[in-house]
Amino acid sequence: MPSAERNTVEFRDLAVARDVLGTEAAALTALAATLGATFSTAVALFDGVRGRVVVTGMGKSGHVARKIAATLASTGTPALFVHPAEASHGDLGMIVPGDVILALSNSGEAAELADIVAHARRFALPLVAITARRDSTLARAADVVLLLPDAPEAGPIGLAPTTSTTMQMALGDALAIALLARRGFTAADFSTFHPGGKLGNRLRRVRDLMHTGEAVPLAGPDTTMDRAILLITAKHFGCLGVVAPDDRLLGIITDGDMRRAMGPDLLTLPAGAIMTRTPRVIGPDALAEAALHDMTALEPKVMSLFVVDAENRVVGIVHMHDLLRAGVA
């Protein structure tokens, strides 16, 4: 393909892509502006569910529904996807009293949803609809309707589900995160549902990575610096924790502390004389992600953190290399 022709094709591709993204972005802005009390009603309904949030939809709406169910489940709201066609052939048994149904259909007229809607009515299950048509069959049957604004599908023919599914997906995310915030769901809670992969590594607890016992470099405040330096060298953490007899952390000694105290009498000074008295520490139940943040995002940057309990007693030490080996950093 000649260079000029290739440039023309690339320009056209980029123009189409930017038009699609602009169309969808405008629709999301319009969707955000429409949210009101009905959205909060839906969140409250899901928050009070005794069973699961059953998410359903057909075609492209079904693919979005699967993702919404997965997002809800991973953020603390029990949820599952039920395919509406399979529901008509036995899977209705998966939807039980105590459940809430979230049904997606842009037109609100997907025939495959009829049996799920009837099941909801039969067992008095709350039904929340995400649809673009207020007068649709699905909207009329629903207890709560989350209405998508009128927005064109993206692209030159404007027929393929694009803008509509983007709004459905974003609205599902909004519901999940609003529920997360309402319940006070934390990163620690999130780690329970994400034990694997890079994210799971970052959400591991400090206690799972820290060194304990004899491996921890500790000494009393009266320890002379000649002995303290030998301990720092032997333990390989580049620092020393200065502790009281009950293991309460009084301070730490690092290379920086020793440089600042450099002088002819350094080796005879007690550790308590040169230690930093307000060291940065972390708790054993903190997330590895928090340890990484405290080592790298705060000033001064450090390579190790002493791990202390509620009484400030040293229970371990965690090093940047531990985070690297665990795949956290």
Side-chain angles (χ1 to χ4, degrees):
M1 182 182 298
S3 177
E5 184 178 349
R6 183 171 61 252
N7 289 342
T8 300
V9 171
E10 290 176 355
F11 179 82
R12 185 167 60 247
D13 291 342
L14 291 173
V16 170
R18 287 168 179 150
D19 178 69
V20 169
L21 295 176
T23 299
E24 296 188 354
L28 291 179
T29 299
L31 174 60
T34 66
L35 297 183
T38 302
F39 178 84
S40 188
T41 299
V43 173
L45 192 60
F46 295 147
D47 185 39
V49 65
R50 292 184 292 107
R52 294 83 41 85
V53 177
V54 178
V55 193
T56 188
M58 194 67 193
K60 302 299 185 293
S61 293
H63 293 304
V64 175
R66 285 183 186 274
K67 191 272 179 186
I68 293 174
T71 299
L72 287 168
S74 72
T75 52
T77 300
L80 76 157
F81 170 78
V82 173
H83 193 289
E86 296 297 335
S88 300
H89 295 275
D91 282 1
L92 280 175
M94 299 170 68
I95 309 173
V96 298
D99 291 344
V100 174
I101 298 173
L102 174 61
L104 283 67
S105 173
N106 190 49
S107 69
E109 299 297 342
E112 294 85 354
L113 291 174
D115 287 337
I116 287 182
V117 171
H119 188 76
R121 298 282 73 82
R122 184 178 305 117
F123 292 97
L125 305 180
L127 174 62
V128 178
I130 295 179
T131 181
R133 290 182 52 193
R134 188 182 298 277
D135 62 345
S136 64
T137 301
L138 177 61
R140 290 197 302 271
D143 300 290
V144 179
V145 178
L146 298 176
L147 196 65
L148 302 176
D150 185 21
E153 301 288 11
I157 62 174
L159 295 176
T162 49
T163 305
S164 58
T165 50
T166 296
M167 288 192 291
Q168 289 176 342
M169 185 84 74
L171 191 52
D173 288 342
L175 287 167
I177 301 306
L179 277 164
L180 177 153
R182 179 182 282 233
R183 291 172 172 172
F185 193 82
T186 66
D189 299 319
F190 194 70
S191 68
T192 302
F193 304 108
H194 296 78
K198 180 72 171 180
L199 179 59
N201 291 334
R202 294 171 75 96
L203 295 174
R204 292 174 68 181
R205 306 283 182 165
V206 168
R207 64 169 175 261
D208 299 325
L209 304 177
M210 68 184 187
H211 303 264
T212 61
E214 291 298 318
V216 184
L218 298 175
D222 296 328
T223 304
T224 55
M225 283 305 300
D226 57 346
R227 177 61 181 160
I229 291 172
L230 291 176
L231 284 170
I232 292 172
T233 303
K235 301 295 186 177
H236 305 294
F237 289 101
C239 63
L240 179 72
V242 182
V243 295
D246 62 355
D247 284 339
R248 283 183 301 106
L249 187 65
L250 304 175
I252 66 168
I253 296 175
T254 66
D255 289 342
D257 295 310
M258 288 188 286
R259 284 195 298 270
R260 285 186 290 272
M262 188 63 68
D265 60 345
L266 171 63
L267 296 182
T268 62
L269 290 174
I274 75 165
M275 69 183 183
T276 296
R277 297 180 179 275
T278 56
R280 193 180 307 157
V281 296
I282 197 163
D285 292 327
L287 298 177
E289 168 74 12
L292 177 64
H293 172 273
D294 288 358
M295 289 182 189
T296 61
L298 304 180
E299 293 294 340
K301 293 178 173 56
V302 298
M303 292 294 289
S304 297
L305 291 172
F306 280 95
V307 185
V308 300
D309 64 15
E311 283 73 42
N312 206 42
R313 290 190 296 263
V314 175
V315 295
I317 187 171
V318 63
H319 192 276
M320 176 62 74
H321 291 166
D322 302 317
L323 303 182
L324 290 169
R325 281 192 291 269
V328 176

